[in-house]
Amino acid sequence: MPHETSLLTLLAAGLVLAFALGTLAHRFKLSPLVGYLVAGVLVGPFTPGYEADTDLASQLGEIGVVLLMFGVGLHFSVADLKAVRKVALPWALLPIAFGSALGALVGRWLGWSWGTGVVFGLCLSVASTVVLLRALEDNRLLDTRRGKTAIGWLIVEDLVMVLVLVLLPPIGRALSADASAGLDLRALGEALGLTVLKLALFTGVIVVVGRRFVPWVLRKVAGTGSRELFTLAVLAIALGVAYVSSQWFGVSIALGAFFAGMLLNESELSHKAAADSLPMRDAFAVLFFVSVGMLFDPSILLRQPLPVLACVVVIMVGKPLAAWALVRALGHGNRIASTIAASVSQIGEFSFILAGLAVALKLMPGDARDLVLAGALISIVANPLVFAAVLRWQSGEVVVPAPEAGDGAGPALPTHGHGILVGYGRVGSQLAELLRARGMPLLAIDADADLVAKARADGIPAVRGNAAAANVLAELSPATATHALVAIPNAFEAGEIIARLRAANPAISILARAHSEAELWNLLDAGADAGVLAERELAYSMAEMVIAQDAGA
Ligand code: AMP
């Protein structure tokens, strides 16, 4: 079957199928990731029917990785990195070594050399940050200490992989030039030294130049008054830094994007602006999973079931157990240990990159890459279940939930007679300040981790998540609340939220924020008691000011 190389066809087929299967997966209470991966398999070369261009798809997927890692950077500060240092560095190396050793044993069993086995083992031992992010987001763990530690752990793994990717070509050359002569240690040392130097240089450039330069550029661009230019500036910084870091400094493109995000995290203004400017991030992230699915040849499950099983055991049992035991041995609690174990029980983008390079360097047979892919796919599909099981285990074991620093919901959540505040942005936070001054007990919800932290710092109990999701909304005890203030700008979501609130509590008083007459009517139809048209109130206030000034003059 000929390849279909049109970008547009790929985007349309990939996204439409991913949407359909993602929704289906959601209906069956599975992670939508499963739907995206299956969509990939369907448009891939190993199933009949439409066959998209794999190269094109993986490049699109790479954009997804860049944007996602940029997003992680946006939420990750230098202080966060320091905080996870105790757990993650240098200990994250040990489970990688353990997983690689197990993988090498599997390789030997399959009749490969030790060298091939170790590279194969490395492919099975580096977890995917993209998959982890999804898991943390889905389980609303992103702003907890456990979540941040897991991200820090994976950043360390990424750094290790940068070194491995750089060292692999000289190792490959040494091995293929003269197998009996062994490794050229000098060449290896030079490559290692150069990489460390480049990494140091890169960090220096980022810290010194980037910190000053990036906010300055953003201020200037904001001054032009063009939103389009602003979004473009953010995109240019994300992709530009990622690309330059990979080309000039030998840093992986994903890690480069992470640093770019951290740059913008320096000031709250640029952070918020940048987060708002990347609505396309989710679409590209979906394409990453579709592209992974496309590479997968399902027949390997029938051709080599036992080796596939061995890979899955290494990925999902061997390495996570080692990580769990290590974190426990370091004196940390079971919550952190088991979260990290669940986090590293999958592999993804780095394994594909590494496996691709190793096959190109003839360090690994093509079969090995197929096994890595099978292991990745199975572990990615199973990861949401692993997380669910681990979280259930965690909640089952704590008889009296002990609050963890940065974990939990801050001030205790009110359960009746309270006002639910949806959205703690510009509107919600001011509303909260005014109402609290009058003694109204409030419970806030926002999708943004930083704003949830802000609400808690302001002394308002807050929940993080999308209020349009039924399980999240249920946490706000709508049935026993007296008021709901829906202060978010998206009228579609607001309509859903209002309808759910109304269904849960027919007596609750619901006030909503709108930005046009049409939105206002939509919100009233959904069940709101009243709505405030933001722009009209603004005009009224401005007119009042002018009239008052005239009267005073
Ligand atoms: P602003 O426009 O500055 O008042 O900010 C609106 C706030 O609402 C932002 O902080 C968003 O994170 C938050 N928000 C928007 N949609 C939702 C939603 N569906 N659930 C929870 N928070 C939301």
Side-chain angles (χ1 to χ4, degrees), residues 446-507:
D446 201 294
D448 187 309
D450 296 328
L451 290 175
V452 170
K454 180 169 176 283
R456 289 175 190 167
D458 293 343
I460 294 175
V463 170
R464 176 168 179 262
N466 186 340
N471 59 337
V472 177
L473 201 63
E475 269 186 56
L476 307 171
S477 315
T480 45
T482 53
H483 292 77
L485 304 153
V486 182
I488 62 172
N490 181 331
F492 275 111
E493 280 184 6
E496 280 298 301
I497 295 167
I498 290 169
R500 291 229 163 98
L501 284 168
R502 180 58 72 213
N505 182 349

Side-chain angles (χ1 to χ4, degrees), residues 23-105:
T23 315
L24 201 68
H26 187 78
R27 256 203 105 72
F28 287 105
K29 301 221 176 321
L30 284 170
S31 159
L33 286 191
V34 180
Y36 308 153
L37 289 167
V38 175
V41 176
L42 289 183
V43 298
F46 302 105
T47 47
Y50 166 75
E51 180 188 335
D53 184 337
T54 324
D55 277 347
L56 205 56
S58 66
Q59 286 184 32
L60 287 175
E62 209 162 315
I63 301 181
V65 173
V66 166
L67 293 180
L68 273 168
M69 288 301 285
F70 179 71
V72 187
L74 268 182
H75 289 282
F76 214 80
S77 64
V78 178
D80 283 333
L81 256 193
K82 280 193 189 140
V84 300
R85 197 183 47 193
K86 268 196 305 216
V87 187
L89 251 177
W91 303 106
L93 299 183
L94 285 182
I96 295 186
F98 184 73
S100 304
L102 284 183
L105 287 178

Side-chain angles (χ1 to χ4, degrees), residues 289-310:
F289 292 105
V290 173
S291 69
V292 174
M294 283 176 65
L295 294 176
F296 182 62
D297 176 4
S299 74
I300 191 150
L301 299 176
L302 299 176
R303 282 188 284 119
Q304 306 200 22
L306 281 183
V308 169
L309 186 69

Side-chain angles (χ1 to χ4, degrees), residues 60 100 104 107 241 246 249 313 328 422 468:
L60 287 175
S100 304
V241 171
S246 75
F249 296 98
V313 169
R328 291 294 281 157
V422 182

Side-chain angles (χ1 to χ4, degrees), residues 309-325:
L309 186 69
C311 288
V312 172
V313 169
V314 173
I315 299 168
M316 295 188 56
V317 182
K319 189 187 163 202
L321 267 187
W324 182 85

Side-chain angles (χ1 to χ4, degrees), residues 487-522:
I488 62 172
N490 181 331
F492 275 111
E493 280 184 6
E496 280 298 301
I497 295 167
I498 290 169
R500 291 229 163 98
L501 284 168
R502 180 58 72 213
N505 182 349
I508 192 170
S509 139
I510 304 178
L511 192 59
R513 157 182 173 184
H515 292 276
S516 71
E517 285 283 345
E519 281 184 15
L520 190 58
W521 280 112
N522 176 39

